[in-house]
Amino acid sequence: MAEAYATLSRKEQVIRQAAELFKEKGYSASSMRDLAQKLGIEAASLYSHIKSKEEILRTLCFDMAAEFRASLAEVESQPVSASEKLRLGIIGHVKVMSKDLTAAAVFMNEHRHLSQPYLREFLLLRINYINRFKQFIEDGIASGDFKKNIDTKLAVMTLFSSLNWLPLWFSPESTIEPENLGTQLADMLINGLKQNA
Amino acid sequence: MAEAYATLSRKEQVIRQAAELFKEKGYSASSMRDLAQKLGIEAASLYSHIKSKEEILRTLCFDMAAEFRASLAEVESQPVSASEKLRLGIIGHVKVMSKDLTAAAVFMNEHRHLSQPYLREFLLLRINYINRFKQFIEDGIASGDFKKNIDTKLAVMTLFSSLNWLPLWFSPESTIEPENLGTQLADMLINGLKQNA
DNA sequence: TTCTTCCACTAACAGTTGTTAGTTTTGTTC
DNA sequence: GAACAAAACTAACAACTGTTAGTGGAAGAA
């Protein structure tokens, strides 16, 4: 099973296997001995590659965060309407998650086990990211693209709830491509299920 | 702090405090000594009231599940259109969660720590619940209420993602009432954000 | 008073946790 | 073959885990 990661450095292999373990059992319920077993080594041997269990979690969480930020920055730089930016932002978010669904699942579900000050830093990054999506929605309301009476906080939290659960149920064997998936998701959230009269 | 629950039996107090702890730190990261401390007693004393740590989780998860099922059954019995059933189902789901946001958070986030055969039973209940919502969407498409080209699996998972994250960010101090919240959420998912031309 | 129910206590268990120190094996490069 | 770095090993640590056994006190009913 480790052969699939043969080209990765040993440290990267450790982190990848840890991501799978954390996703499956949760960070706290995953022991270093579990992780070692997945790699076919002793628990103590892990410390030749990583400093601590939490360092793995930090790497996973902050690497994902950086990818999300880069994706959003690119969208913001484009000369399109707010509603189109929202659409592109959603597609970008889905694309980033699709590149590593396992890490994405850990990112969203296990970040709370970070200790301070990393947890605080992580949450600040996240609130910033969310607020920039919220801005798209507010701009879209101001321009008349979106309905006037929308509760923007509710809207943006609903949006992220949908996006963030995706890694938990979406299987990579699915035939649907990330781009297509993102497009459908964006359409659903922006246009709704209802047939336009 | 335990005074707020003064009218509850001691066992109910234990379960309530456990729910808060599990929500905050997660099931695995919560120790029985943590829980005992919240109640001002020793860890061993907890076992006068409960059989095991997992029994608490089971109680929380299956009690919530029963409430969700009851809510859905009522909706299904009503003589209304599929799209209206979907709307009422969403509102009902939000109402049930709002009655106990803490238990709802544990229900959605920590159920995976149930051991067999309880986990299997829980997942069966959940898939059944989800499929009944999926049926609303399929019926809505068949009747022409909803768009023809909807991916129903994607739609229903998006729906539940939105609903299930609610307990994590929605604060009970909010002025918005459950009924209103449910209505807004249903409107957003069914009609979308976009202004109808 | 005595009996019973509830609820707490102390003491201890066997197993698991993340991590360390120091050592040895393995594979590559000179 | 010597030297070197990478990566594994054994042994052990202190702390923490859920849980059991047995005990005692307090409140209400008989």
Side-chain angles (χ1 to χ4, degrees), chain A residues 21 31-44 46:
Chain A
L21 191 62
S31 78
M32 296 303 272
R33 284 166 181 83
D34 289 339
L35 175 55
Q37 200 177 17
K38 282 195 91 169
L39 289 153
I41 60 177
E42 292 296 317
L46 292 166

Side-chain angles (χ1 to χ4, degrees), chain A residues 110 112 147 165 190 192-193, chain B residues 110 112 147 165 190 192-193:
Chain A
E110 309 300 331
R112 62 167 155 176
K147 295 172 190 159
W165 264 77
I190 293 173
L193 299 174
Chain B
E110 309 300 331
R112 62 168 153 174
K147 296 171 190 159
W165 265 76
I190 293 173
L193 299 174

